[in-house]
Amino acid sequence: MKKYIIMAALAFAAMPALAQETYENAKVAAEDLNGTARYVGMGGAMEALGADISTIGTNPAGIGMFRKSTMGMSFGFVSQQDAADFSAGNKTNMSFDQIGFVYSSRQDRNSFINFAFNYHKSRNFDYILSASDKLNNASQNKLTYAKQKNGLLFPADKDGVPDGSHPYVQCNQLDDIYARNLNYDEDENMWYYDPATQYDMNRAHRGYVGEYDMNISGNINDRLYLGLTVGVHDVNYRHYGEYVEQLQGPYGNYSMMVSDERKIDGDGYDVKVGVIYRPLEYSPFRLGLSIATPTWYDLTTRNVTTVSDNMGASQTNSESYDYKVYTPWKFGLSAGTTVGNYLALGASYEFADYGYLNSRYVTGEYYDYWYGGYYTESEPDDVMNDHTHMTLKGVSTLKLGMEFKPVPEMAVRFGYNYVSPMYKEEGFKDGTLASDGSYYSSATDYTNWKATNRITCGLGYNVGNLNLDVAYQYSSTNGDFSPFMNYYDNDDMSEDNVCNAVKVSNKRHQVLFTLGYRF
């Protein structure tokens, strides 16, 4: 008799050196438009205009344009459009987004040296994903069956019986559960699968990447501005999802649910340098250039994954491991000018090639007797990095912004921000890779997100040395969601396991407030 799920302990052995998977890495590497309300209200197009603390993380030379010391903090609300609350995820959340200060020290009549510190939330993970569609006899456990059929789960010289006496060759955590408990009929000594009619996916993403930036900058004769920023990044990512398939079994229809909880924690650091130059002595027009090193992340991921049916049986698997991710270099060009004391115009362009996102194995931990601390060594996960190069691509970010002052105390701001797609249209999560990033994956779904468009506006008001600013941002990104990779059987088309991509979106509204003081 076939067994849908049996209660058994898994023999899924942990490995000492592990790396993460392309789609998970991309979540950590991406950034939002966030900072002060002035910066957001102008679409982030302030890299050449400077004199806003949020430029500390984009063009550090912008801090060199401060002529007075200042401090400020920002907070607000973020709400997801067209979403329903799920699990611990709420469609509307309060967010603390920025706090920092600049200390400005005059060196002579036209030259300054400035020091600054700033925290801002560079990535807000709050997002609820919902998707559903017909499966037309495809299923997640059929994908496991296809891998076994093609020799991807066990060594070629084994009979494939999941008795725990030999290791898996290529398989993720779900394959392990299905192969040991669902896809093998011990009585008939044969592999099988159950096709599905439809699926429903709900997942709540929560958390943030916080960036702590320390800066030294200055200007020479009010013409050349230079800046250096060292950044420390704090990653706190959480998600919980429930994926349910309606399956057709030999003894009737039933439902199967995969509940998956994952945490990613860690930190990273980077270095950013920038320059702003006024080419004409008596013109306010200026040009900016910035370069950011990769962010070198040390991360730990933990997950608990349970497969259960509606008859009360369940099987759980959990893993925890360390890995490294290095983001690509980032380059920026910018231009800005002012007209009198009532109009400011800015434009910026940034580029980073995420096809070169670098997943790395941790090969060991060592104690440094000279510095008195532990450090880890790593090496590239070439298989996963090849997959990343075929899945992700270069991303261009365009920022346009303006600020108009009808009276000296009040400012009206508008901005536009465009981010080109990070994912190639043909990209997919490949669960057959000979990489630990695939072995220890606990989900088969993926989303190829398209371009992001952001429209912003804002108001500012000065009262003596105090400034009050508010900004509104509307962000829209569409994507194609797939519950698992497609498999095509060259010998038997009935064995194909193909699902349609479903349209999903991430439409967000943000209201941001900044309170600042100059001294």
Side-chain angles (χ1 to χ4, degrees), residues 1-2 4 182 192-197 245-256 309-311:
M1 181 177 178
K2 294 183 177 180
Y4 292 119
L182 179 64
Y192 75 98
Y193 64 85
D194 286 336
T197 57
E245 287 184 339
Q246 303 300 324
L247 294 161
Q248 297 173 314
Y251 306 104
N253 297 339
Y254 67 104
S255 64
M256 183 77 70
D309 62 27
N310 59 349
M311 294 172 284

Side-chain angles (χ1 to χ4, degrees), residues 22 34 45 121 138 223 245 249 345 381 404 428 504 519:
T22 297
N34 203 14
K121 187 179 292 183
R223 293 281 301 277
E245 287 184 339
L345 302 171
D381 180 352
F404 174 69
F428 65 94
V504 293
F519 57 94

Side-chain angles (χ1 to χ4, degrees), residues 90-316:
N90 300 314
K91 62 179 296 183
T92 300
N93 296 280
M94 187 173 182
S95 178
F96 182 78
D97 297 286
Q98 177 271 329
I99 187 169
F101 71 88
V102 177
Y103 175 74
S104 182
S105 174
R106 182 186 293 271
Q107 300 302 300
D108 58 40
R109 184 172 179 272
N110 291 316
S111 298
F112 292 79
I113 292 180
N114 297 336
F115 302 89
F117 170 82
N118 187 57
Y119 161 83
H120 88 284
K121 187 179 292 183
S122 63
R123 183 80 162 122
N124 187 335
F125 291 119
D126 292 349
Y127 173 63
I128 299 172
L129 171 68
S130 298
S132 62
D133 197 20
K134 296 179 179 179
L135 279 176
N136 299 320
N137 296 325
S139 69
Q140 210 174 56
N141 75 94
K142 186 177 178 181
L143 181 59
T144 299
Y145 168 86
K147 292 180 182 180
Q148 187 278 332
K149 181 180 179 181
N150 286 274
L152 297 176
L153 296 189
F154 298 97
D157 61 347
K158 300 294 184 180
D159 58 9
V161 178
D163 58 7
S165 63
H166 53 271
Y168 290 97
V169 174
Q170 294 181 29
C171 120
N172 61 34
Q173 293 188 55
L174 291 177
D175 289 331
D176 183 81
I177 293 177
Y178 286 138
R180 292 183 185 277
N181 305 300
L182 179 64
N183 287 74
Y184 185 74
D185 187 333
E186 293 181 352
D187 296 336
E188 300 293 335
N189 191 29
M190 63 178 288
W191 284 81
Y192 75 98
Y193 64 85
D194 286 336
T197 57
Q198 67 180 56
Y199 74 86
D200 292 279
M201 163 63 85
N202 289 283
R203 178 182 290 147
H205 303 255
R206 297 179 295 115
Y208 60 89
V209 177
E211 185 172 346
Y212 303 82
D213 287 321
M214 294 156 282
N215 172 277
I216 181 171
S217 56
N219 72 69
I220 302 174
N221 296 324
D222 205 24
R223 293 281 301 277
L224 180 64
Y225 306 84
L226 304 170
L228 169 70
T229 295
V230 177
V232 177
H233 302 248
D234 172 34
V235 178
N236 184 300
Y237 171 78
R238 305 287 185 266
H239 86 228
Y240 174 76
E242 294 179 354
Y243 172 79
V244 180
E245 287 184 339
Q246 303 300 324
L247 294 161
Q248 297 173 314
Y251 306 104
N253 297 339
Y254 67 104
S255 64
M256 183 77 70
M257 182 173 74
V258 178
S259 60
D260 181 50
E261 181 179 2
R262 179 170 292 276
K263 302 178 181 179
I264 301 176
D265 296 284
D267 51 54
Y269 64 94
D270 66 357
V271 178
K272 298 168 278 275
V273 295
V275 57
I276 298 172
Y277 180 62
R278 285 198 304 115
L280 303 175
E281 183 176 1
Y282 298 104
S283 171
F285 178 76
R286 41 201 181 260
L287 298 171
L289 171 67
S290 61
I291 300 174
T293 69
T295 302
W296 296 285
Y297 280 116
D298 286 281
L299 301 172
T300 298
T301 183
R302 304 173 181 86
N303 81 284
V304 178
T305 302
T306 300
V307 178
S308 58
D309 62 27
N310 59 349
M311 294 172 284
S314 65
Q315 181 71 69
T316 298

Side-chain angles (χ1 to χ4, degrees), residues 470-488:
V470 60
Y472 166 77
Q473 175 183 181
Y474 172 72
S475 173
S476 175
T477 311
N478 295 319
D480 295 323
F481 171 88
S482 298
F484 43 74
M485 63 179 288
N486 290 334
Y487 165 76
Y488 298 89

